[in-house]
Amino acid sequence: NAGVTQTPKFQVLKTGQSMTLQCAQDMNHNSMYWYRQDPGMGLRLIYYSASEGTTDKGEVPNGYNVSRLNKREFSLRLESAAPSQTSVYFCASSEWGPQVDGYTFGSGTRLTVV
Amino acid sequence: KNEVEQSPQNLTAQEGEFITINCSYSVGISALHWLQQHPGGGIVSLFMLSSGKKKHGRLIATINIQEKHSSLHITASHPRDSAVYICAADGGATNKLIFGTGTLLAVQP
């Protein structure tokens, strides 16, 4: 089925470890996003990519890096994980400009940093 | 003050009741999104509105651009409607969303 695929679904890291969250979409969307969701707070934008080859910081970019590998894939890297990065991470995609279906989200990655 | 505010934060209803969730925003938008998230689950886009009203099945979303307010209505609610409903303001230029904190809805049989 068409959509946004995120891996892994769950991950436990030790403080200081690094990891990459993978995201791929097969809808030929130009724009892709990484959000984090924390209890009591709305989703917050970490980084986004308006089109292949471009990336920009969102609201909470510190401690993260991203790569827009091609039109389909947008990865999020934690170079040195910290307990404050314990969260649920969502990747999303959309086409540039208003779309009837809006955004499409991945199923999320639940990350715990101990 | 948050740029996107939802009310109520929590809502419990009996099966069959008519439900309204409200969203107010203070930023300029090109569209307003309503999303649904089941416990432990992913996020599903329900509606994207730039004016007027949209209806999908038992769900109705309205928006008043002048008053910067949107509502999500659920008619004949059912326990499977239990979820968190999130509104998000779309600024348009870069398609970045500003999210409300969500409304947790529990529909009891």
Side-chain angles (χ1 to χ4, degrees):
Chain A
N1 292 334
V4 176
T5 303
Q6 275 183 249
T7 56
K9 291 191 184 303
F10 301 93
Q11 184 72 50
V12 178
L13 290 178
K14 293 182 179 178
T15 298
Q17 286 186 317
S18 62
M19 78 161 295
T20 300
L21 280 66
Q22 306 286 354
C23 176
Q25 53 94 6
D26 58 6
M27 296 167 289
N28 204 36
H29 285 170
N30 278 301
S31 301
M32 296 186 74
Y33 314 82
W34 276 105
Y35 294 96
R36 61 178 288 173
Q37 186 178 42
D38 301 294
M41 305 184 74
L43 286 114
R44 293 181 292 169
L45 182 65
I46 305 170
Y47 270 93
Y48 70 100
S49 172
S51 62
E52 183 180 355
T54 69
T55 62
D56 286 285
K57 295 179 180 179
E59 184 183 354
V60 288
N62 291 343
Y64 305 95
N65 285 301
V66 290
S67 296
R68 184 74 182 268
L69 304 169
N70 47 57
K71 193 170 186 179
R72 290 187 64 248
E73 298 173 287
F74 187 40
S75 62
L76 177 72
R77 183 160 179 84
L78 287 70
E79 290 292 350
S80 179
S84 61
Q85 294 178 304
T86 294
S87 188
V88 181
Y89 292 84
F90 288 96
C91 177
S93 71
S94 74
E95 184 51 51
W96 189 265
Q99 290 287 302
V100 172
D101 292 328
Y103 288 67
T104 301
F105 287 81
S107 57
T109 297
R110 188 172 297 271
L111 175 67
T112 302
V113 183
V114 298
Chain B
K1 185 172 165 62
N2 294 333
E3 293 173 297
V4 177
E5 294 201 336
Q6 289 184 236
S7 63
Q9 287 189 309
N10 295 280
L11 180 58
T12 299
Q14 295 298 313
E15 185 173 357
E17 286 185 358
F18 181 83
I19 289 163
T20 296
I21 299 170
N22 296 299
C23 177
S24 297
Y25 54 92
S26 58
V27 294
I29 66 167
S30 62
L32 191 288
H33 298 257
W34 282 100
L35 310 168
Q36 179 192 57
Q37 184 176 25
H38 281 101
I43 299 170
V44 175
S45 178
L46 297 175
F47 294 102
M48 186 178 79
L49 289 165
S50 55
S51 64
K53 176 180 174 179
K54 286 189 176 180
K55 183 175 187 290
H56 290 158
R58 296 180 294 105
L59 301 178
I60 303 166
T62 63
I63 189 167
N64 184 317
I65 297 294
Q66 288 72 30
E67 294 186 4
K68 295 190 173 181
H69 181 269
S70 178
S71 294
L72 176 69
H73 305 286
I74 304 175
T75 62
S77 60
H78 189 276
R80 64 175 175 266
D81 297 325
S82 298
V84 175
Y85 292 85
I86 303 167
C87 73
D90 188 339
T94 53
N95 282 47
K96 290 188 289 184
L97 297 178
I98 303 171
F99 293 85
T101 53
T103 295
L104 176 60
L105 171 66
V107 180
Q108 296 179 341

